[in-house]
Amino acid sequence: MKKRLTIFLSLVLITGLIISQTGCSSKPISKTSYYMDTICKITIYDMDDMSEKNAENAIDDAFSLCADLENLISMTKESSDIYRINHSGGKPVECSPETVEVVKMGIEYGDLSGGLFDITIGKVSDLWDFHSEDAEVPGKKAIADALKDVDYTGISISGNTVTMINPDSEINLGGIGKGFIADKAAARLKEMGVSNAIVNFGGNIVAIGDNLGKPFRIGVEEPFSWQNEIIGSVDVKDAVVVTSGIYERYIEADGKKYHHILDVNTGYPVETDVAGVSLVGEIGNSGKCDALSTICLILGVEDGIKLIEKTAGVEAVFIGIDGEIHTTSGMEFNEV
C-alpha cells in the first residue's frame, strides 16, 4: 500500500491557495503555529499602534484562543467537550457555549444538506486512518456497523447541555471546526485593533480589511498539482475564502485512491465529479463556508452550483475532475 498526504509538502499544497503580498507599504508581521492537524499562519499588515511587539502579542493571543477552542471541540483530546459527549454513554454533558454553538451549526448544515453533511460520522471516520503510514481500507462489515450510529438528528441540546439520544453515536467536527475557529481567531484580532490581516488555517482564509489599499489576491491552485500551478485567483477584502478538495488527504490501495470526504450512506468516499471547490463569503462565515464546501464536494458540480446560487453572501468556483472550471453567477474569478 502507498500513502500520500499533500499536507506534509508545503503550506501551498495544504491550502490550495497562494496569497499575494505585493503592494505592501510596510513590513507585515507573521507567526505560524499548528492546530487542528493544520499549519496555521497569521499575518498582520496594520493595527492600532502598529509595532512588531504589538502585532506579535495580538497573534499570540489569537493562537491562544485557537488552542482553547481546539481543546473544547477536538474528538481526540480526552478533556474536550466533544470527547466527553462521545464517551458519555448517552448521559447529558454540560458544555461550553462555544461547543454548543458549533454543534448547532453542524446540525443546521445537516438539515440544509438533507443529511449528507452529518457531524455524527465519527465512528465511520475513525475507521479511515488518513494519518497512519499503515492505513488500510476498512472492512465492509465494520463500515456497515458504524453507519448504524450516524444520525445527527439524535443530538439533543438544552441550554448548554448536549445529549446523544443514541449513546453509540460520535460527533466529529472536522468538516466545520477549522472554519469555526478561524472565525473566532479573526474576531479576536479585530478586538485587539487589527485592521488589516490574513488568517490562513490550511484551506480556510480570513481576509481582515485589505492589503493596505488593495484587495488581497488569493490564487487557486490546480488540484493534484505538484508544481504549485495556479489556475486563477480571486480578489477579496473583509471576506473569507475556503477551499476543499478530494486531493487533500487520501490513501491508495490496490491501485485505487480513497479520499477523505465520506458518504454517510455508504461509509466510503463519495463518488464526485468535483476535484476541488473554493468558496468566497462575507467575513465571519468561514465556518459556514467550511461546511458548504464539503457539501458541494458531496453534491457534485451541478447541484453544488445550485446550492450556492441560492445561498446569500457566498460565491464559488468548482474545479471538475476533468479539469473544467465552473463558477457561480456572481463569482469574480480571474482565470490564468
Side-chain angles (χ1 to χ4, degrees):
M1 172 180 292
K2 293 187 296 181
K3 172 172 171 287
R4 209 168 89 190
L5 291 182
T6 60
I7 194 169
F8 295 129
L9 291 180
S10 73
L11 187 58
V12 170
L13 288 179
I14 295 170
T15 63
L17 302 168
I18 292 179
I19 302 168
S20 171
Q21 297 182 354
T22 59
C24 290
S25 59
S26 60
K27 180 183 177 181
I29 306 299
S30 297
K31 295 189 78 171
T32 301
S33 194
Y34 193 83
Y35 303 99
M36 304 158 288
D37 291 328
T38 297
I39 297 174
C40 299
K41 183 177 182 180
I42 295 175
T43 303
I44 294 178
Y45 296 85
D46 199 13
M47 64 179 294
D48 296 343
D49 193 16
M50 179 71 172
S51 69
E52 183 173 357
K53 180 179 179 181
N54 287 343
E56 289 185 348
N57 286 342
I59 295 172
D60 288 342
D61 192 73
F63 278 153
S64 178
L65 176 63
C66 291
D68 291 342
L69 291 174
E70 183 179 20
N71 287 335
L72 290 176
I73 69 172
S74 167
M75 70 176 297
T76 58
K77 294 180 181 292
E78 295 188 6
S79 61
S80 77
D81 286 346
I82 298 302
Y83 186 93
R84 291 189 301 114
I85 293 169
N86 289 345
H87 295 81
S88 67
K91 295 179 180 179
V93 177
E94 187 77 17
C95 299
S96 70
E98 292 83 2
T99 300
V100 173
E101 181 183 357
V102 69
V103 170
K104 284 183 175 179
M105 286 179 63
I107 294 171
E108 176 187 352
Y109 287 100
D111 289 341
L112 179 72
S113 66
L116 294 177
F117 181 87
D118 194 319
I119 60 174
T120 61
I121 193 73
K123 289 186 74 173
V124 179
S125 61
D126 281 347
L127 298 174
W128 293 87
D129 189 353
F130 294 98
H131 295 86
S132 171
E133 291 294 337
D134 300 317
E136 296 181 356
V137 177
K140 291 182 179 180
K141 185 179 185 307
I143 289 177
D145 289 343
L147 282 173
K148 296 175 184 177
D149 299 316
V150 177
D151 182 4
Y152 75 95
T153 65
I155 302 172
S156 176
I157 299 176
S158 177
N160 285 340
T161 298
V162 179
T163 305
M164 303 299 289
I165 304 303
N166 177 354
D168 293 323
S169 288
E170 291 187 5
I171 294 174
N172 182 338
L173 296 173
I176 198 170
K178 187 167 57 175
F180 175 80
I181 292 179
D183 282 333
K184 297 297 185 183
R188 176 63 61 85
L189 290 169
K190 293 178 71 174
E191 289 173 1
M192 299 188 70
V194 173
S195 53
N196 303 82
I198 284 287
V199 175
N200 183 350
F201 286 3
N204 293 73
I205 304 290
V206 182
I208 301 172
D210 57 27
N211 193 358
L212 301 180
K214 297 182 179 181
F216 288 106
R217 175 155 290 182
I218 311 297
V220 178
E221 187 183 69
E222 180 183 4
F224 307 107
S225 170
W226 294 89
Q227 290 78 39
N228 302 348
E229 184 176 350
I230 300 302
I231 60 173
S233 64
V234 293
D235 294 335
V236 298
K237 59 181 179 179
D238 279 324
V240 301
V241 183
V242 177
T243 291
S244 294
I246 63 171
Y247 55 89
E248 293 174 317
R249 293 186 182 131
Y250 60 83
I251 60 175
E252 189 172 351
D254 300 324
K256 183 175 181 179
K257 294 176 181 177
Y258 297 84
H259 62 78
H260 72 296
I261 308 297
L262 302 178
D263 188 328
V264 297
N265 294 308
T266 68
Y268 288 89
V270 296
E271 298 290 337
T272 178
D273 62 351
V274 182
V277 58
S278 293
L279 272 58
V280 177
E282 299 169 351
I283 195 165
N285 287 291
S286 184
K288 171 183 178 178
C289 290
D290 206 354
L292 284 172
S293 65
T294 300
I295 294 169
C296 286
L297 284 173
I298 296 169
L299 289 175
V301 173
E302 183 177 352
D303 288 338
I305 288 178
K306 288 179 181 178
L307 172 64
I308 301 303
E309 290 285 12
K310 62 182 183 182
T311 302
V314 181
E315 301 294 341
V317 54
F318 291 75
I319 314 301
I321 292 291
D322 57 5
E324 291 294 316
I325 298 173
H326 310 265
T327 62
T328 52
S329 58
M331 182 66 159
E332 297 183 5
F333 183 67
N334 311 305
E335 289 192 44
V336 173

